[in-house]
């Protein structure tokens, strides 16, 4: 079942008001691994940016960054940490993402399939997409997670047929650590 904007915002505001939120304040390893694909200047969109760990990294790299999230607390914390961030509190399901606009789009740990073609169109030629989120494998550990919010095997590889794939993998992160996660990870370019 999908949650309303308000229910989803309440869920994430509660999550971000807990102490254990530091993983959201760091850039994700797959973004760091693919940093060599990023342009040195331009405009980036961080979809569902959370507390801005990834957005902060893109800003440091010299990009202008629009970060969108529906958590008011997330947006407030991110903007306070990163004054240069263009932080937008909005539900991406109802947010206009213009075509041919972004040099970089990142999407970490958020899955809204209706955005796939919108992301592909929103990149400028030469633009880079970096996308990572959990797969259905995750249900072997967390059967409570709705399959709707998890990628099927191979799904991400097929999700952006107009883009050229630079890097793709599926597998476990932190398998023996405290927060193991089954993920699919993609970096792709609009030629
Ligand atoms: C798991 S967190 C990931 C945050 C960040 N991308 C990261 O990697 O740390 C998921 C984020 O998606 C946001 N979110 C969920 N549904 C959303 C929607 N419909 N529109 C915008 N943001 C949404 C939540 O508020 C939360 O900040």
């Amino acid at each position: 079942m999908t949650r309303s904007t308000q229910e989803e915002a309440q869920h994430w505001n509660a999550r971000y008001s807990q102490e254990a939120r530091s993983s959201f304040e760091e850039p994700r390893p797959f973004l760091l691994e693919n940093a060599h694909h990023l342009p040195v200047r331009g405009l980036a969109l961080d979809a569902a940016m959370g507390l801005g760990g990834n957005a902060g990294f893109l800003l440091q790299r010299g990009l202008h960054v629009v970060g969108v999230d529906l958590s008011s607390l997330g947006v407030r914390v991110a903007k306070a940490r990163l004054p240069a961030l263009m932080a937008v509190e909005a539900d991406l399901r109802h947010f206009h993402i213009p075509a041919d606009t972004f040099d970089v789009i990142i999407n970490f740990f958020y899955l809204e399939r209706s955005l796939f073609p919108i992301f592909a169109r929103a990149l400028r030629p030469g633009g880079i997409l970096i996308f990572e989120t959990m797969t259905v494998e995750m249900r072997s550990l967390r059967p409570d997670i709705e399959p709707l919010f998890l990628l099927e095997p191979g799904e991400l590889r097929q999700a952006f047929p107009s883009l050229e794939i630079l890097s793709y993998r599926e597998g476990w992160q932190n398998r023996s650590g405290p927060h193991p996660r089954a993920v699919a990870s993609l970096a792709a370019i609009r030629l």
Side-chain angles (χ1 to χ4, degrees), residues 8 12 16 24 28 48-50 54 69-71 90-93 108-110:
E8 192 68 23
W12 283 100
Y16 292 146
F24 296 106
R28 301 281 171 189
M49 70 167 166
N54 296 319
D69 202 288
L70 54 56
S71 161
D91 186 331
L92 281 158
R93 294 170 295 186
F108 279 82
F109 297 101
Y110 171 62

Side-chain angles (χ1 to χ4, degrees), residues 42-46 49 59 63-68 75 79 82-89:
L43 184 63
L45 172 67
D46 184 351
M49 70 167 166
L59 285 165
L63 294 162
H64 297 285
V65 183
V66 179
V68 182
V75 168
K79 180 68 185 169
L82 308 164
L85 175 68
M86 293 174 267
V88 182
E89 182 186 328

Side-chain angles (χ1 to χ4, degrees), residues 67-179:
V68 182
D69 202 288
L70 54 56
S71 161
S72 53
L73 180 57
V75 168
R76 215 162 52 238
V77 170
K79 180 68 185 169
R81 291 172 64 223
L82 308 164
L85 175 68
M86 293 174 267
V88 182
E89 182 186 328
D91 186 331
L92 281 158
R93 294 170 295 186
H94 312 293
F95 183 70
H96 176 64
I97 300 176
D100 301 310
T101 301
F102 294 99
D103 302 288
V104 175
I105 297 178
I106 64 170
N107 178 119
F108 279 82
F109 297 101
Y110 171 62
L111 181 59
E112 174 53 52
R113 292 175 171 87
S114 65
L115 293 173
F116 290 172
I118 295 174
F119 284 167
R121 274 198 299 274
L123 285 173
R124 288 190 178 126
I128 301 290
L129 173 70
I130 302 183
F131 195 120
E132 180 175 76
T133 198
M134 294 187 292
T135 64
V136 287
E137 284 286 298
M138 198 59 207
R139 279 169 58 85
S140 62
L141 285 185
R142 291 273 315 274
D144 56 303
I145 304 181
E146 283 253 11
L148 181 65
F149 302 121
L150 297 169
L151 290 163
E152 293 295 328
E155 183 182 357
L156 186 60
R157 193 195 283 280
Q158 310 292 331
F160 300 95
S162 64
L163 306 183
E164 183 164 303
I165 294 178
L166 300 169
S167 162
Y168 184 80
R169 66 169 181 245
E170 292 181 23
W172 285 90
Q173 286 179 349
N174 306 316
R175 184 84 215 229
S176 50
H179 302 293

Side-chain angles (χ1 to χ4, degrees), residues 34-52:
N34 284 279
H36 60 284
H37 294 304
L38 297 172
V40 292
R41 66 181 69 82
L43 184 63
L45 172 67
D46 184 351
M49 70 167 166
L51 299 177

